[in-house]
Amino acid sequence: MRWDQLDRHDSAGALFSTDAVTTRTFDTPGFRGITFHEIRARSIINRVPGASRMPFEWTVNPYRGCSHACVYCFARKTHSYLDLDTGHDFDSQIVVKVNAPELLRRELASPRWEGAHIAMGTNVDCYQRAEGRYRLMPGIITALRDRANPFSILTKGSLILRDLELVRQAARVTDVSLALSVGFVDGELWRSVEPGTPSPETRLAVCRTLAEAGLAPSVLMAPVLPFLSDSPEQLRATVRAIAAAGGASVSPIVLHLRPGAREWYMAWLAQHHPHLVRRYETLYAGGSYAAKWYQRQVTRQVHEFAAEFGCGPLRRGRQVEPPVAEEPVVPARPAENTQLTLM
């Protein structure tokens, strides 16, 4: 694994020292086959590239790699920076920034930090399985709460309920936004493409609990998988389930296939649905995103069903676009160069 010189444009050197890496495995059913690389990062607040369409500029990512093992995950490419593959290694070689809470508290206290919104879960899930052991999010949320710093969390995990009281405390002093990712409610499809995640039913139950706590969770219907979860009947069933779970809003995001994710997903498609390969090649002939006519069609249908069930889209100007890789910035100094980071 390549740890050194991840930030090739930064004269300050590596984002952490090689001798600060501790590698662990745990012989328990939930972690069998997964290797954890514990590091002490030198920065934790990351800047989103200026070309991004995201409605926020800053993110915090305590993990890199994700045991959710979603075959379509856009973040797979980031593992290639460590000379790891974007397939099995991304699912099983997890980088853990064990000092994330203390580092965040220090960066939030910097006189140069202006209290901007911080998004979490936009790269890999901050409530993936590893969080049950490392418990980084309570310290992160506490640091944000204590500084009254606005933040948002996007997750497929149910572990966020462990931190419900902390989130409620933060929501009393600052703007807190929560979102669940539920692309479909087809159980067979879920087991095939999202094998390490809680089931869609479990995620919807989390949504219901958050709604009952007064936190108004939104739901990203992400991703909508072309020719697999996009029929009008499937879209309607998913929107209906989201509305029944108390989702304050629903916004569809059609599958996007960036390098790293594209190869892994297309290999899965060739194995499980070979008759669809040609249709995908045509639909994604223009690059990472499906043809615009197709995206508009799905969005229109979902919004019609949302209106039917009383669960509208996110308000204009806050639409969540597909996430992108971030560039790390230590708030105490200007961020002039793009760097590679352990997201």
Side-chain angles (χ1 to χ4, degrees):
M1 180 180 294
R2 179 169 63 89
W3 295 112
D4 292 324
Q5 297 178 349
L6 286 174
D7 53 339
R8 292 170 295 190
H9 305 293
D10 182 9
S11 61
L15 295 176
F16 58 92
S17 59
T18 306
D19 59 7
V21 179
T22 300
T23 299
R24 301 185 193 276
T25 59
F26 303 104
D27 190 23
T28 57
F31 296 106
R32 194 162 293 140
I34 299 177
T35 300
F36 297 96
H37 305 280
E38 301 173 358
I39 63 105
R40 295 191 62 81
R42 291 181 178 167
S43 66
I44 195 66
I45 299 179
N46 310 299
R47 182 190 287 275
V48 176
S52 168
R53 295 172 290 176
M54 301 293 279
F56 47 79
E57 292 186 69
W58 306 93
T59 65
V60 164
N61 296 296
Y63 301 99
R64 184 174 186 169
C66 187
S67 59
H68 283 344
C70 301
V71 297
Y72 52 75
C73 183
F74 78 95
R76 290 182 173 277
K77 179 66 175 177
T78 62
H79 250 44
S80 65
Y81 302 147
L82 297 176
D83 285 347
L84 294 170
D85 72 56
T86 62
H88 290 296
D89 284 347
F90 181 83
D91 302 338
S92 62
Q93 302 283 333
I94 310 300
V95 176
V96 185
K97 301 177 187 178
V98 293
N99 63 331
E102 62 190 80
L103 190 55
L104 177 61
R105 185 172 290 276
R106 186 172 77 226
E107 293 184 0
L108 291 176
S110 167
R112 301 193 65 137
W113 178 248
E114 297 180 350
H117 177 99
I118 289 177
M120 292 175 283
T122 61
N123 194 49
V124 301
D125 203 319
C126 52
Y127 281 109
Q128 61 176 284
R129 200 177 309 162
E131 175 59 18
R133 175 172 290 273
Y134 286 98
R135 300 181 63 86
L136 300 180
M137 287 301 292
I140 289 171
I141 295 171
T142 298
L144 291 164
R145 178 204 65 190
D146 292 349
R147 301 294 299 190
N149 200 105
F151 66 90
S152 60
I153 297 173
L154 169 63
T155 184
K156 285 188 175 78
S158 59
L159 197 55
I160 189 173
L161 295 183
R162 179 201 64 192
D163 299 337
L164 179 56
E165 181 52 35
L166 277 175
V167 173
R168 294 180 67 179
Q169 291 172 14
R172 295 188 191 111
V173 298
T174 190
D175 180 23
V176 175
S177 301
L178 303 179
L180 280 299
S181 176
V182 183
F184 43 82
V185 292
D186 183 322
E188 184 176 350
L189 183 60
W190 158 65
R191 282 186 287 270
S192 184
V193 300
E194 301 172 346
T197 67
S199 69
E201 291 78 10
T202 298
R203 281 175 258 164
L204 291 170
V206 171
C207 181
R208 186 175 299 107
T209 300
L210 295 175
E212 290 171 351
L215 293 168
S218 60
V219 176
L220 296 190
M221 207 164 148
V224 175
L225 301 176
F227 320 122
L228 292 170
S229 68
D230 64 347
S231 73
E233 296 77 16
Q234 290 171 309
L235 296 177
R236 187 174 189 273
T238 302
V239 174
R240 180 176 57 205
I242 291 169
S249 64
V250 57
S251 292
I253 296 178
V254 173
L255 173 72
H256 54 286
L257 294 174
R258 294 178 184 158
R262 188 184 189 111
E263 296 82 356
W264 191 245
Y265 182 83
M266 292 301 289
W268 171 86
L269 193 71
Q271 179 180 355
H272 295 275
H273 304 279
H275 62 290
L276 293 179
V277 170
R278 182 58 182 164
R279 297 182 72 182
Y280 267 77
E281 290 173 347
T282 300
L283 188 63
Y284 288 87
S288 299
Y289 298 90
K292 288 188 180 297
W293 67 263
Y294 177 84
Q295 295 187 57
R296 287 193 294 266
Q297 173 182 291
V298 169
T299 298
R300 182 178 64 253
Q301 289 180 318
V302 169
H303 288 179
E304 288 173 355
F305 295 136
E308 175 185 353
F309 294 112
C311 181
L314 291 175
R315 64 184 181 274
R316 186 178 300 275
R318 292 292 294 173
Q319 286 284 356
V320 178
E321 298 289 345
V324 295
E326 299 101 355
E327 52 183 298
V329 174
V330 179
R333 66 174 188 267
E336 299 178 351
N337 299 316
T338 299
Q339 307 168 18
L340 302 179
T341 182
L342 294 178
M343 297 176 191

